[in-house]
Amino acid sequence: MKHNPVVWFEIHVTDMARAKAFYEAVFQVQLNALPTPPGDASANGMQMLAFPADMNLGGAGGALVRMEGAPPGPGGTLVYFGCEDCAVEQARVEQAGGRVHQAKFSIGEFGFCALMVDTEGNMVGLHSMK
């Protein structure tokens, strides 16, 4: 593999409006609607809201996704969002309707992490170097 392994992520949700409000509040960004793929996906009411991304920069783009048969919840993939200082985003979690699962903690030379649970029951990580 000659690139970073993650190129896209999807966070599955049940209530798109609630999840949109949570992520916009925690990360202070605006999510934008993505067109659904043609075929069966649009027939089953799939919705996608993308996080801001620049495909010319490093890291992965991603979206919130509401889709029949793909419920949110613990035990799935854990996505880590890069932050300047993850304590800043962590401080917004509860006011936005989520909960802090594990407050900011050191991972040694690799920086710091915090774990939160969003309004849909997904565990999501925050990572920073300070």
Side-chain angles (χ1 to χ4, degrees):
M1 191 175 307
K2 295 184 179 184
H3 53 78
N4 289 331
V6 177
V7 297
W8 182 255
F9 66 86
E10 293 179 352
I11 299 173
H12 289 258
V13 306
T14 303
D15 184 324
M16 185 62 84
R18 178 178 64 199
K20 178 180 189 286
F22 175 81
Y23 282 96
E24 287 182 341
V26 170
F27 292 110
Q28 304 286 286
V29 298
Q30 182 174 351
L31 300 173
N32 296 303
L34 285 177
T36 56
D40 292 348
S42 58
N44 71 8
M46 181 181 194
Q47 286 181 280
M48 298 177 78
L49 292 176
F51 288 88
D54 181 339
M55 299 309 279
N56 296 314
L57 298 176
L64 300 179
V65 178
R66 192 191 65 72
M67 179 171 55
E68 305 262 333
T77 301
L78 185 57
V79 175
Y80 281 84
F81 284 85
C83 308
E84 174 112 5
D85 179 350
C86 60
V88 173
E89 287 77 6
Q90 175 189 303
R92 298 182 189 130
V93 169
E94 291 181 359
Q95 185 173 351
R99 73 176 170 83
V100 175
H101 178 77
Q102 186 168 356
K104 181 179 175 180
F105 60 96
S106 174
I107 53 173
E109 68 181 282
F110 301 107
F112 298 86
C113 290
L115 296 173
M116 66 180 184
V117 178
D118 72 8
T119 54
E120 307 302 295
N122 294 302
M123 178 86 67
V124 179
L126 305 171
H127 175 266
S128 63
M129 289 307 294
K130 66 178 189 177

